[in-house]
Structures are given as C-alpha cells and as structure tokens.
C-alpha cells in the first residue's frame, strides 16, 4: 500500500476506534451488545497486528512505568480477586482499550491524531443533535435502547436512550444516552476545536460554527460536572498562556499567583459549599453520590491494600457490587469517583500507582505546554496551540474523576494511554509542529 494511502487508513481506523470509545453506547443501543463486542474484537486484532509491525518504535525508556504498572497490576488482580471469572470478564474490555490506545499513540502522527479526534467528536456531536431532533419531531416520546424490553413493568427513566427534552431546553443525552457523558464529550470537543481554529487547520468560519454548536450542547446537557471541568480547563489554559508570555526567569510571580488562587479556591469551596452546590442545582448529597461513596468505602476497607479485584464497570449480577450504588431503584455500576472505585478494586497499591501515573502525565504535559519546543540548540521556535492538548484534556479528565469513574474505562483510559505514551517522547509533539 502506498505511504499516503496507508496513512489515511491508519487515520480512518483511529476515527472508528475513537468513535467506539467515546460513543460505544450508540452502537450498543442501536445494534445490540453482540455486534458491538464483535467490532471490538475485530479492531483489537487489527491493532495487535499494527503494534507488532511497529514494535521497533517501542523503547523501554519511552514506556510510562507507573501507567504500565497500574495496567499490569489490574490484570494480575485476577489472582486474588473476589470473583476471578468476573474480574477476567471485565479485564477484557480494559485490555482492548489499552491495546487501541497504544496502537494509536505509536503509529499515528500527532497532527493526524488531532485530526482524527476532531473528526470523531464532530460526528458524535452532529449525530447527537440529529438524533435528538428526530426523537422530538418524528417520535414524540422518550425511547429506550433496542436491548431493553419495555413491554413488561415500567422501566426507570434513567435507562432511556433519549428523554425527548430537546424542545424543552434539555437536558439532552444524545446518541450516548447520558447527559454527563455527552457534556464531557463536548468539553473535550471544545478544547480540540479551539486548538484547531487557533492552529488554522480548519476553515475559520467552519471552526467557529462548530465551537458555537459545542457550547450549545454543553448548555443543553445541563451537567454541573462538565461545567466544573470546563471551568478548570479555562483557568489552566489562561495560566499556561500567561506563562508563555514570560521568560523562564520571570515566571515566579505567575506561579505564586497560581498558588494563591488555588488556596483561595479551596477555602471558598470549603466555606461556601452549600451555596455553590445550590447554584449548580445539586443537593448536599451531590445527587446521591455521597451515599454511594460511603458504601464503596465501607467495602474497600475490608480489603484495603490489594482490593477486591478489577471490576470496571461492576457486573450487575454479582453480590455485593450490584447493590452498592442503588438510587430510586436503579443499580449503578460505578462509584462516581475513580479514586474510591480503584481503591475498592485494587486497594492502596492501585490508587498510588494510578495517582503517580496521572501526576506524571500532568507534569510532563504542563512543561510541554508552557515551554518552547526544543530538541536542539534553537531556543526561539514559536509556541503551538496543539501542544496544549494533552494538558487541557488531562485537566478535564482529572476534574471529572472526582464525580465519575470514566478515567479508567473506555475513552477516558484510552486518552490517558495515548497522552502518557506521547509525552514520554516530547519530540513526537514538538517535531510534528515544526
């Protein structure tokens, strides 16, 4: 295959993979679990071949140690798991996502990755709007995924694919069937689209239209979690750009300002917690999350060091996990906090490994974002907007991790793997920008 065609094929494969990771619910809800799992196996097999062909690109120094340790520790947990069979069952999707992330990071050039990510997010957002419009104008009532039987007793509204609320101003759920997830996809999209617009890799009017659409979708989801993530991203972006405007020797005042504002923010949240939650439309129990955290914490304390074994998401038929997070008769399959979730599953060892891995990713991403690109003696190369991408997306994921467990599953884990491998060799980013 000619090099140009092979590059297009890799980008196309990445788009399909990223769509499944970000919006796999759309495929499952429309076609069923069997087809979705079959597609996952096929894509994983392709990426195994791709990784084998690109094995010369793998060097031990470019492997993020703590991320690899966390992944291997999760796999090894089948040896001491409360239910080895169910741990093995949930490990397979985790392994699939890891393989896909490694394949994309190793074989897709940085600019092609951003293009593939932007294309994927546009497809998801466009499909979500068209889907909600179709439900509102042609269906006229809420609908459920194809695998849910609605002929018997009443099915809880939380399982609805679309709630038919677009014409009422939301909250909408899009093709992913979850407003928090759709809102977070839109937050990531806003980062990517803004970078592409600043980088001038998209037509200006076209890029502006997509930013307006993305902001509208964030508003229509009415997700407080995603608004907080967006605020955190905006603050970090402003500080990164502020630092870019200063020489390295002149940055101390900026860092001191960051520290002061950080302390002030923590104090404000501690003192005015109830008022802030009320402003965001949340009760003091954070929509039932505090009860869930208490239940999961109690279970984690029974096996605090190594945990109960990997189970992300929790399997709905296994005691005691199926009754850990129950609200209004609905059984949730995550702790709505990745750190508590990982503690329950992999104990203190897993939490420490994941914490160090994320801190390493965050710190490396920070310096790639605020320092000029340099791989030789030239110190005057211009900054690039796309070098902000790992930092801003990692901040969004980290912010979300305190209210959702997305960081270690599907798109969240894939992005962590992709960015962790990429920032280990900064020239993958900086040379792509030259």
């Amino acid at each position: 295959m000619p090099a140009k065609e092979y590059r297009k094929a890799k980008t196309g494969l990445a788009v399909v993979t990223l769509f499944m990771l970000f919006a796999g619910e759309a495929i499952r809800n429309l076609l069923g679990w069997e087809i979705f799992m079959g597609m996952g196996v096929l894509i994983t097999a392709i990426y195994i071949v791709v990784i084998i062909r690109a094995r010369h690109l793998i060097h031990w120094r470019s492997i993020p140690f703590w991320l690899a340790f966390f992944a291997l520790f999760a796999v090894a947990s089948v040896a001491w798991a409360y239910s080895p069979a169910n741990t093995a069952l949930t490990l397979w999707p985790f392994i699939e996502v890891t393989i896909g992330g490694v394949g994309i990071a190793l074989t897709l050039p940085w600019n092609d990755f951003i293009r593939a990510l932007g294309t994927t997010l546009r497809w998801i957002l466009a499909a979500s709007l068209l889907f909600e419009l179709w439900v509102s104008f042609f269906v006229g009532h809420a609908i459920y995924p194809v695998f849910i039987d609605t002929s018997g007793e009443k099915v809880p509204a939380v399982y609805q694919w679309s709630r038919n609320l677009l014409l009422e101003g939301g909250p909408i759920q899009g093709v992913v069937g979850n407003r928090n997830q759709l809102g977070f996809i839109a937050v990531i999209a806003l980062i990517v689209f803004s970078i592409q617009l600043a980088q001038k890799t998209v037509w200006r009017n076209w890029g502006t239209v997509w930013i307006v659409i993305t902001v509208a979708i964030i508003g229509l989801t009415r997700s407080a979690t995603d608004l907080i993530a967006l605020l955190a991203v905006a603050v970090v972006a402003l500080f990164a750009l502020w630092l870019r405007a200063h020489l390295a020797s002149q940055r101390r005042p900026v860092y001191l300002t960051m520290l002061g504002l950080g302390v002030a923010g923590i104090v404000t949240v501690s003192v005015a917690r109830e008022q802030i939650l009320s402003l965001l439309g949340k009760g003091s129990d954070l929509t039932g999350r505090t009860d869930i955290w208490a239940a999961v914490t109690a279970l984690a304390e029974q096996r605090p060091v190594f945990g109960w074994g990997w189970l992300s998401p929790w399997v709905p038929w296994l005691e005691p996990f199926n009754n850990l997070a129950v609200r209004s008769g609905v059984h949730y399959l995550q702790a709505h906090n990745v750190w508590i979730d990982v503690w329950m599953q992999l104990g203190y060892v897993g939490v420490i490994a994941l914490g160090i891995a994320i801190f390493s990713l965050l710190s490396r991403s920070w310096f790639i974002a605020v320092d000029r690109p340099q791989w030789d003696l030239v110190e005057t190369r211009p900054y690039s907007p796309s070098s902000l991408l790992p930092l801003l997306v990692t901040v969004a994921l980290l912010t979300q991790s305190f209210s959702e467990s997305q960081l270690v599953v599907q798109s969240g884990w894939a992005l962590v793997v992709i960015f962790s491998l990429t920032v280990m060799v900064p020239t993958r980013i900086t040379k792509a920008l030259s």
Side-chain angles (χ1 to χ4, degrees):
M1 180 184 295
K4 185 177 181 180
E5 297 301 321
Y6 182 58
R7 184 175 179 178
K8 287 182 178 179
K10 289 191 297 183
T11 303
L13 177 62
V15 169
V16 174
T17 304
L18 290 168
F19 188 94
M20 287 193 65
L21 291 168
F22 277 96
E25 292 82 0
I27 300 172
R28 295 197 296 267
N29 291 349
L30 181 63
L31 303 176
W33 276 91
E34 294 80 3
I35 293 178
F36 174 77
M37 290 189 293
M39 292 176 64
V41 170
L42 177 61
I43 290 175
T44 301
I46 293 173
Y47 268 115
I48 290 174
V49 175
V50 168
I51 292 171
I52 291 174
R53 292 187 60 179
R55 62 187 181 276
H56 63 282
L57 299 174
I58 303 174
H59 305 285
W60 70 269
R61 289 185 177 179
S62 65
I63 298 175
F65 173 81
W66 286 103
L67 188 80
F69 178 87
F70 175 80
L72 293 173
F73 188 71
V75 173
S77 70
V78 72
W80 65 82
Y82 169 75
S83 176
N86 286 289
T87 290
L89 180 65
T90 56
L91 274 171
W92 174 242
F94 176 77
I95 293 171
E96 285 185 314
V97 173
T98 304
I99 290 172
V102 171
I104 291 174
L106 283 181
T107 63
L108 203 62
W110 181 244
N111 291 331
D112 289 355
F113 167 70
I114 295 176
R115 189 179 303 112
L117 183 58
T119 299
T120 303
L121 296 173
R122 287 184 180 88
W123 274 107
I124 295 172
L125 297 182
S128 293
L129 274 181
L130 292 174
F131 172 65
E132 293 288 356
L133 285 168
W134 174 73
V135 171
S136 294
F137 286 102
F138 296 100
V139 179
H141 58 79
I143 62 174
Y144 289 83
V146 296
F147 56 82
I148 291 182
D149 182 9
T150 59
S151 60
E153 60 185 54
K154 185 178 179 180
V155 180
V158 72
Y159 296 127
Q160 291 171 350
W161 189 0
S162 170
R163 299 173 63 186
N164 185 32
L165 295 176
L166 177 62
L167 301 183
E168 299 177 24
I172 64 171
Q173 303 186 147
V175 294
V176 297
N178 183 291
R179 66 170 179 162
N180 290 329
Q181 187 173 346
L182 178 62
F184 192 73
I185 289 172
V187 169
I188 301 298
L190 187 59
I191 297 170
V192 176
F193 299 165
S194 298
I195 286 174
Q196 289 183 314
L197 187 61
Q199 193 94 354
K200 298 181 180 179
T201 55
V202 294
W203 183 43
R204 180 177 179 180
N205 292 343
W206 178 246
T208 302
V209 166
W210 271 108
I211 287 177
V212 171
I213 291 173
T214 304
V215 171
I217 290 176
I218 293 173
L220 287 169
T221 60
R222 297 186 185 179
S223 172
T225 299
D226 299 322
L227 288 176
I228 294 172
L230 184 58
L231 176 61
V233 168
V235 171
V236 171
L238 288 174
F239 274 112
L241 294 175
W242 190 9
L243 281 168
R244 285 184 173 192
H246 292 75
L247 297 174
S249 59
Q250 301 172 341
R251 290 178 172 179
R252 181 176 295 179
V254 181
Y255 281 113
L256 289 175
T257 303
M258 290 174 59
L259 178 62
L261 289 177
V263 173
I266 294 172
V267 172
T268 301
V269 171
S270 301
V271 173
R273 179 175 179 271
E274 298 295 333
Q275 292 84 348
I276 294 173
L277 290 174
S278 177
L279 183 64
L280 294 172
K282 297 288 185 181
S284 59
D285 67 341
L286 297 173
T287 319
R289 281 175 170 79
T290 54
D291 293 335
I292 295 173
W293 296 342
V296 178
T297 297
L299 191 62
E301 289 172 342
Q302 298 179 32
R303 293 187 175 188
V305 180
F306 296 106
W308 291 71
W310 182 262
L311 279 172
S312 283
W314 309 337
V315 289
W317 55 80
L318 180 65
E319 291 279 358
F321 309 100
N322 61 336
N323 290 314
L324 272 180
V326 181
R327 181 176 172 82
S328 301
V330 177
H331 295 246
Y332 293 92
L333 304 179
Q334 58 151 317
H336 287 286
N337 182 303
V338 77
W339 307 102
I340 297 175
D341 216 337
V342 169
W343 180 30
M344 184 268 288
Q345 297 177 53
L346 300 179
Y348 292 130
V349 177
V351 172
I352 292 171
L354 181 62
I356 297 176
I358 297 301
F359 176 78
S360 176
L361 170 58
L362 190 64
S363 60
R364 287 177 178 272
S365 299
W366 174 260
F367 289 111
I368 288 174
V370 302
D371 291 339
R372 289 187 181 276
Q374 183 179 357
W375 57 87
D376 52 25
L377 297 179
V378 179
E379 299 180 354
T380 58
R381 288 188 176 87
Y383 290 107
S384 171
S386 64
S387 62
L388 289 164
L389 183 62
L391 172 66
L392 299 184
V393 173
T394 301
V395 168
L397 288 168
L398 184 59
T399 305
Q400 186 203 43
S401 72
F402 295 99
S403 59
E404 302 289 342
S405 296
Q406 189 72 21
L407 184 72
V408 293
V409 295
Q410 296 179 325
S411 59
W413 180 245
L415 290 174
V416 168
V417 171
I418 292 169
F419 289 139
S420 295
L421 286 170
T422 301
V423 301
M424 286 296 293
V425 185
T427 52
R428 288 178 179 169
I429 297 176
T430 55
K431 284 192 175 182
L433 308 177
S434 61

PDB file of all heavy atoms in Angstrom, residues 146-171:
ATOM      1  N   VAL A 146     -32.422  -0.801  22.075  1.00  0.00           N
ATOM      2  CA  VAL A 146     -33.103  -1.957  21.491  1.00  0.00           C
ATOM      3  C   VAL A 146     -33.045  -3.179  22.405  1.00  0.00           C
ATOM      4  O   VAL A 146     -33.912  -4.061  22.311  1.00  0.00           O
ATOM      5  CB  VAL A 146     -32.488  -2.318  20.122  1.00  0.00           C
ATOM      6  CG1 VAL A 146     -32.705  -1.193  19.140  1.00  0.00           C
ATOM      7  CG2 VAL A 146     -30.990  -2.635  20.253  1.00  0.00           C
ATOM      8  N   PHE A 147     -32.050  -3.265  23.291  1.00  0.00           N
ATOM      9  CA  PHE A 147     -31.912  -4.462  24.119  1.00  0.00           C
ATOM     10  C   PHE A 147     -32.718  -4.385  25.418  1.00  0.00           C
ATOM     11  O   PHE A 147     -32.670  -5.312  26.226  1.00  0.00           O
ATOM     12  CB  PHE A 147     -30.430  -4.738  24.436  1.00  0.00           C
ATOM     13  CG  PHE A 147     -29.704  -3.604  25.096  1.00  0.00           C
ATOM     14  CD1 PHE A 147     -29.793  -3.375  26.459  1.00  0.00           C
ATOM     15  CD2 PHE A 147     -28.910  -2.751  24.339  1.00  0.00           C
ATOM     16  CE1 PHE A 147     -29.124  -2.331  27.063  1.00  0.00           C
ATOM     17  CE2 PHE A 147     -28.227  -1.699  24.935  1.00  0.00           C
ATOM     18  CZ  PHE A 147     -28.343  -1.489  26.293  1.00  0.00           C
ATOM     19  N   ILE A 148     -33.457  -3.298  25.634  1.00  0.00           N
ATOM     20  CA  ILE A 148     -34.285  -3.178  26.830  1.00  0.00           C
ATOM     21  C   ILE A 148     -35.738  -3.479  26.484  1.00  0.00           C
ATOM     22  O   ILE A 148     -36.312  -2.872  25.580  1.00  0.00           O
ATOM     23  CB  ILE A 148     -34.166  -1.767  27.446  1.00  0.00           C
ATOM     24  CG1 ILE A 148     -32.764  -1.563  28.028  1.00  0.00           C
ATOM     25  CG2 ILE A 148     -35.213  -1.553  28.537  1.00  0.00           C
ATOM     26  CD1 ILE A 148     -32.564  -0.227  28.696  1.00  0.00           C
ATOM     27  N   ASP A 149     -36.310  -4.428  27.185  1.00  0.00           N
ATOM     28  CA  ASP A 149     -37.704  -4.828  26.963  1.00  0.00           C
ATOM     29  C   ASP A 149     -38.623  -3.887  27.750  1.00  0.00           C
ATOM     30  O   ASP A 149     -38.605  -3.857  28.978  1.00  0.00           O
ATOM     31  CB  ASP A 149     -37.902  -6.273  27.421  1.00  0.00           C
ATOM     32  CG  ASP A 149     -39.326  -6.773  27.160  1.00  0.00           C
ATOM     33  OD1 ASP A 149     -40.085  -6.061  26.474  1.00  0.00           O
ATOM     34  OD2 ASP A 149     -39.669  -7.867  27.650  1.00  0.00           O
ATOM     35  N   THR A 150     -39.421  -3.119  27.028  1.00  0.00           N
ATOM     36  CA  THR A 150     -40.334  -2.165  27.667  1.00  0.00           C
ATOM     37  C   THR A 150     -41.773  -2.641  27.664  1.00  0.00           C
ATOM     38  O   THR A 150     -42.682  -1.884  28.004  1.00  0.00           O
ATOM     39  CB  THR A 150     -40.259  -0.809  26.946  1.00  0.00           C
ATOM     40  OG1 THR A 150     -40.618  -0.978  25.560  1.00  0.00           O
ATOM     41  CG2 THR A 150     -38.855  -0.230  27.021  1.00  0.00           C
ATOM     42  N   SER A 151     -41.980  -3.912  27.305  1.00  0.00           N
ATOM     43  CA  SER A 151     -43.347  -4.423  27.212  1.00  0.00           C
ATOM     44  C   SER A 151     -43.907  -4.835  28.567  1.00  0.00           C
ATOM     45  O   SER A 151     -45.122  -4.935  28.725  1.00  0.00           O
ATOM     46  CB  SER A 151     -43.394  -5.628  26.260  1.00  0.00           C
ATOM     47  OG  SER A 151     -42.550  -6.673  26.733  1.00  0.00           O
ATOM     48  N   GLY A 152     -43.041  -5.060  29.546  1.00  0.00           N
ATOM     49  CA  GLY A 152     -43.493  -5.509  30.857  1.00  0.00           C
ATOM     50  C   GLY A 152     -43.691  -4.367  31.819  1.00  0.00           C
ATOM     51  O   GLY A 152     -44.327  -3.350  31.499  1.00  0.00           O
ATOM     52  N   GLU A 153     -43.107  -4.521  33.025  1.00  0.00           N
ATOM     53  CA  GLU A 153     -43.245  -3.486  34.038  1.00  0.00           C
ATOM     54  C   GLU A 153     -42.497  -2.228  33.633  1.00  0.00           C
ATOM     55  O   GLU A 153     -41.632  -2.249  32.760  1.00  0.00           O
ATOM     56  CB  GLU A 153     -42.725  -4.000  35.379  1.00  0.00           C
ATOM     57  CG  GLU A 153     -41.270  -4.414  35.367  1.00  0.00           C
ATOM     58  CD  GLU A 153     -40.838  -5.024  36.679  1.00  0.00           C
ATOM     59  OE1 GLU A 153     -41.498  -5.985  37.125  1.00  0.00           O
ATOM     60  OE2 GLU A 153     -39.847  -4.523  37.244  1.00  0.00           O
ATOM     61  N   LYS A 154     -42.832  -1.124  34.268  1.00  0.00           N
ATOM     62  CA  LYS A 154     -42.264   0.172  33.908  1.00  0.00           C
ATOM     63  C   LYS A 154     -40.754   0.173  34.099  1.00  0.00           C
ATOM     64  O   LYS A 154     -40.243  -0.219  35.140  1.00  0.00           O
ATOM     65  CB  LYS A 154     -42.902   1.273  34.761  1.00  0.00           C
ATOM     66  CG  LYS A 154     -42.447   2.666  34.365  1.00  0.00           C
ATOM     67  CD  LYS A 154     -43.146   3.724  35.202  1.00  0.00           C
ATOM     68  CE  LYS A 154     -42.670   5.120  34.803  1.00  0.00           C
ATOM     69  NZ  LYS A 154     -43.339   6.171  35.606  1.00  0.00           N
ATOM     70  N   VAL A 155     -40.049   0.642  33.066  1.00  0.00           N
ATOM     71  CA  VAL A 155     -38.592   0.713  33.104  1.00  0.00           C
ATOM     72  C   VAL A 155     -38.185   2.100  33.605  1.00  0.00           C
ATOM     73  O   VAL A 155     -38.739   3.115  33.151  1.00  0.00           O
ATOM     74  CB  VAL A 155     -37.998   0.469  31.699  1.00  0.00           C
ATOM     75  CG1 VAL A 155     -36.471   0.535  31.751  1.00  0.00           C
ATOM     76  CG2 VAL A 155     -38.467  -0.873  31.151  1.00  0.00           C
ATOM     77  N   PRO A 156     -37.255   2.188  34.568  1.00  0.00           N
ATOM     78  CA  PRO A 156     -36.827   3.501  35.083  1.00  0.00           C
ATOM     79  C   PRO A 156     -36.374   4.444  33.973  1.00  0.00           C
ATOM     80  O   PRO A 156     -35.745   4.025  32.993  1.00  0.00           O
ATOM     81  CB  PRO A 156     -35.674   3.146  36.017  1.00  0.00           C
ATOM     82  CG  PRO A 156     -35.947   1.747  36.449  1.00  0.00           C
ATOM     83  CD  PRO A 156     -36.576   1.081  35.259  1.00  0.00           C
ATOM     84  N   ALA A 157     -36.681   5.714  34.148  1.00  0.00           N
ATOM     85  CA  ALA A 157     -36.365   6.715  33.124  1.00  0.00           C
ATOM     86  C   ALA A 157     -34.867   6.850  32.877  1.00  0.00           C
ATOM     87  O   ALA A 157     -34.458   7.268  31.792  1.00  0.00           O
ATOM     88  CB  ALA A 157     -36.944   8.066  33.531  1.00  0.00           C
ATOM     89  N   VAL A 158     -34.040   6.483  33.860  1.00  0.00           N
ATOM     90  CA  VAL A 158     -32.605   6.635  33.704  1.00  0.00           C
ATOM     91  C   VAL A 158     -32.061   5.754  32.581  1.00  0.00           C
ATOM     92  O   VAL A 158     -30.991   6.027  32.027  1.00  0.00           O
ATOM     93  CB  VAL A 158     -31.877   6.315  35.034  1.00  0.00           C
ATOM     94  CG1 VAL A 158     -31.920   4.814  35.330  1.00  0.00           C
ATOM     95  CG2 VAL A 158     -30.440   6.829  35.010  1.00  0.00           C
ATOM     96  N   TYR A 159     -32.801   4.703  32.208  1.00  0.00           N
ATOM     97  CA  TYR A 159     -32.356   3.812  31.137  1.00  0.00           C
ATOM     98  C   TYR A 159     -32.764   4.300  29.757  1.00  0.00           C
ATOM     99  O   TYR A 159     -32.463   3.657  28.755  1.00  0.00           O
ATOM    100  CB  TYR A 159     -32.912   2.402  31.366  1.00  0.00           C
ATOM    101  CG  TYR A 159     -32.391   1.741  32.628  1.00  0.00           C
ATOM    102  CD1 TYR A 159     -33.264   1.209  33.570  1.00  0.00           C
ATOM    103  CD2 TYR A 159     -31.022   1.647  32.868  1.00  0.00           C
ATOM    104  CE1 TYR A 159     -32.800   0.608  34.729  1.00  0.00           C
ATOM    105  CE2 TYR A 159     -30.550   1.047  34.021  1.00  0.00           C
ATOM    106  CZ  TYR A 159     -31.435   0.531  34.946  1.00  0.00           C
ATOM    107  OH  TYR A 159     -30.968  -0.053  36.093  1.00  0.00           O
ATOM    108  N   GLN A 160     -33.476   5.426  29.682  1.00  0.00           N
ATOM    109  CA  GLN A 160     -33.918   5.933  28.397  1.00  0.00           C
ATOM    110  C   GLN A 160     -32.728   6.379  27.555  1.00  0.00           C
ATOM    111  O   GLN A 160     -31.786   6.994  28.056  1.00  0.00           O
ATOM    112  CB  GLN A 160     -34.874   7.114  28.597  1.00  0.00           C
ATOM    113  CG  GLN A 160     -36.218   6.707  29.197  1.00  0.00           C
ATOM    114  CD  GLN A 160     -37.070   7.898  29.578  1.00  0.00           C
ATOM    115  OE1 GLN A 160     -36.616   9.035  29.583  1.00  0.00           O
ATOM    116  NE2 GLN A 160     -38.327   7.643  29.914  1.00  0.00           N
ATOM    117  N   TRP A 161     -32.793   6.055  26.266  1.00  0.00           N
ATOM    118  CA  TRP A 161     -31.747   6.488  25.341  1.00  0.00           C
ATOM    119  C   TRP A 161     -31.883   7.992  25.091  1.00  0.00           C
ATOM    120  O   TRP A 161     -30.913   8.732  25.144  1.00  0.00           O
ATOM    121  CB  TRP A 161     -31.877   5.700  24.042  1.00  0.00           C
ATOM    122  CG  TRP A 161     -30.743   5.889  23.083  1.00  0.00           C
ATOM    123  CD1 TRP A 161     -29.633   6.668  23.242  1.00  0.00           C
ATOM    124  CD2 TRP A 161     -30.610   5.260  21.816  1.00  0.00           C
ATOM    125  NE1 TRP A 161     -28.807   6.585  22.148  1.00  0.00           N
ATOM    126  CE2 TRP A 161     -29.389   5.723  21.251  1.00  0.00           C
ATOM    127  CE3 TRP A 161     -31.382   4.363  21.087  1.00  0.00           C
ATOM    128  CZ2 TRP A 161     -28.952   5.306  19.991  1.00  0.00           C
ATOM    129  CZ3 TRP A 161     -30.941   3.956  19.836  1.00  0.00           C
ATOM    130  CH2 TRP A 161     -29.732   4.416  19.304  1.00  0.00           C
ATOM    131  N   SER A 162     -33.098   8.430  24.820  1.00  0.00           N
ATOM    132  CA  SER A 162     -33.396   9.858  24.707  1.00  0.00           C
ATOM    133  C   SER A 162     -34.652  10.151  25.514  1.00  0.00           C
ATOM    134  O   SER A 162     -35.625   9.394  25.450  1.00  0.00           O
ATOM    135  CB  SER A 162     -33.618  10.271  23.247  1.00  0.00           C
ATOM    136  OG  SER A 162     -34.125  11.597  23.182  1.00  0.00           O
ATOM    137  N   ARG A 163     -34.642  11.251  26.241  1.00  0.00           N
ATOM    138  CA  ARG A 163     -35.785  11.616  27.082  1.00  0.00           C
ATOM    139  C   ARG A 163     -36.734  12.565  26.356  1.00  0.00           C
ATOM    140  O   ARG A 163     -37.718  13.012  26.919  1.00  0.00           O
ATOM    141  CB  ARG A 163     -35.277  12.269  28.369  1.00  0.00           C
ATOM    142  CG  ARG A 163     -34.393  11.353  29.204  1.00  0.00           C
ATOM    143  CD  ARG A 163     -33.766  12.098  30.384  1.00  0.00           C
ATOM    144  NE  ARG A 163     -34.782  12.590  31.298  1.00  0.00           N
ATOM    145  CZ  ARG A 163     -34.507  13.373  32.354  1.00  0.00           C
ATOM    146  NH1 ARG A 163     -33.257  13.757  32.574  1.00  0.00           N
ATOM    147  NH2 ARG A 163     -35.479  13.770  33.134  1.00  0.00           N
ATOM    148  N   ASN A 164     -36.447  12.889  25.099  1.00  0.00           N
ATOM    149  CA  ASN A 164     -37.297  13.770  24.304  1.00  0.00           C
ATOM    150  C   ASN A 164     -37.475  15.133  24.977  1.00  0.00           C
ATOM    151  O   ASN A 164     -38.586  15.645  25.131  1.00  0.00           O
ATOM    152  CB  ASN A 164     -38.671  13.121  24.062  1.00  0.00           C
ATOM    153  CG  ASN A 164     -39.556  13.951  23.124  1.00  0.00           C
ATOM    154  OD1 ASN A 164     -39.052  14.620  22.223  1.00  0.00           O
ATOM    155  ND2 ASN A 164     -40.856  13.923  23.353  1.00  0.00           N
ATOM    156  N   LEU A 165     -36.361  15.755  25.356  1.00  0.00           N
ATOM    157  CA  LEU A 165     -36.424  17.029  26.060  1.00  0.00           C
ATOM    158  C   LEU A 165     -35.736  18.164  25.299  1.00  0.00           C
ATOM    159  O   LEU A 165     -35.561  19.256  25.842  1.00  0.00           O
ATOM    160  CB  LEU A 165     -35.774  16.896  27.447  1.00  0.00           C
ATOM    161  CG  LEU A 165     -36.475  15.960  28.438  1.00  0.00           C
ATOM    162  CD1 LEU A 165     -35.656  15.857  29.722  1.00  0.00           C
ATOM    163  CD2 LEU A 165     -37.883  16.459  28.733  1.00  0.00           C
ATOM    164  N   LEU A 166     -35.375  17.935  24.045  1.00  0.00           N
ATOM    165  CA  LEU A 166     -34.664  18.964  23.294  1.00  0.00           C
ATOM    166  C   LEU A 166     -35.491  20.237  23.168  1.00  0.00           C
ATOM    167  O   LEU A 166     -34.987  21.349  23.391  1.00  0.00           O
ATOM    168  CB  LEU A 166     -34.297  18.441  21.901  1.00  0.00           C
ATOM    169  CG  LEU A 166     -33.611  19.465  20.980  1.00  0.00           C
ATOM    170  CD1 LEU A 166     -32.282  19.908  21.574  1.00  0.00           C
ATOM    171  CD2 LEU A 166     -33.403  18.868  19.589  1.00  0.00           C
ATOM    172  N   LEU A 167     -36.755  20.107  22.818  1.00  0.00           N
ATOM    173  CA  LEU A 167     -37.604  21.277  22.620  1.00  0.00           C
ATOM    174  C   LEU A 167     -37.936  21.985  23.927  1.00  0.00           C
ATOM    175  O   LEU A 167     -38.430  23.113  23.912  1.00  0.00           O
ATOM    176  CB  LEU A 167     -38.892  20.873  21.896  1.00  0.00           C
ATOM    177  CG  LEU A 167     -38.701  20.232  20.512  1.00  0.00           C
ATOM    178  CD1 LEU A 167     -40.041  19.937  19.874  1.00  0.00           C
ATOM    179  CD2 LEU A 167     -37.867  21.146  19.603  1.00  0.00           C
ATOM    180  N   GLU A 168     -37.671  21.316  25.043  1.00  0.00           N
ATOM    181  CA  GLU A 168     -37.879  21.932  26.353  1.00  0.00           C
ATOM    182  C   GLU A 168     -36.592  22.541  26.905  1.00  0.00           C
ATOM    183  O   GLU A 168     -36.543  23.011  28.040  1.00  0.00           O
ATOM    184  CB  GLU A 168     -38.422  20.892  27.344  1.00  0.00           C
ATOM    185  CG  GLU A 168     -39.762  20.296  26.929  1.00  0.00           C
ATOM    186  CD  GLU A 168     -40.246  19.224  27.890  1.00  0.00           C
ATOM    187  OE1 GLU A 168     -39.807  19.253  29.070  1.00  0.00           O
ATOM    188  OE2 GLU A 168     -41.033  18.365  27.477  1.00  0.00           O
ATOM    189  N   GLY A 169     -35.538  22.517  26.106  1.00  0.00           N
ATOM    190  CA  GLY A 169     -34.266  23.086  26.537  1.00  0.00           C
ATOM    191  C   GLY A 169     -33.364  22.131  27.264  1.00  0.00           C
ATOM    192  O   GLY A 169     -32.384  22.541  27.903  1.00  0.00           O
ATOM    193  N   GLY A 170     -33.679  20.837  27.204  1.00  0.00           N
ATOM    194  CA  GLY A 170     -32.829  19.822  27.816  1.00  0.00           C
ATOM    195  C   GLY A 170     -33.300  19.406  29.197  1.00  0.00           C
ATOM    196  O   GLY A 170     -34.361  19.845  29.647  1.00  0.00           O
ATOM    197  N   PRO A 171     -32.545  18.538  29.862  1.00  0.00           N
ATOM    198  CA  PRO A 171     -31.229  18.048  29.421  1.00  0.00           C
ATOM    199  C   PRO A 171     -31.330  16.992  28.321  1.00  0.00           C
ATOM    200  O   PRO A 171     -32.203  16.126  28.378  1.00  0.00           O
ATOM    201  CB  PRO A 171     -30.625  17.443  30.695  1.00  0.00           C
ATOM    202  CG  PRO A 171     -31.811  17.037  31.511  1.00  0.00           C
ATOM    203  CD  PRO A 171     -32.883  18.038  31.214  1.00  0.00           C
TER     204      PRO A 171
END
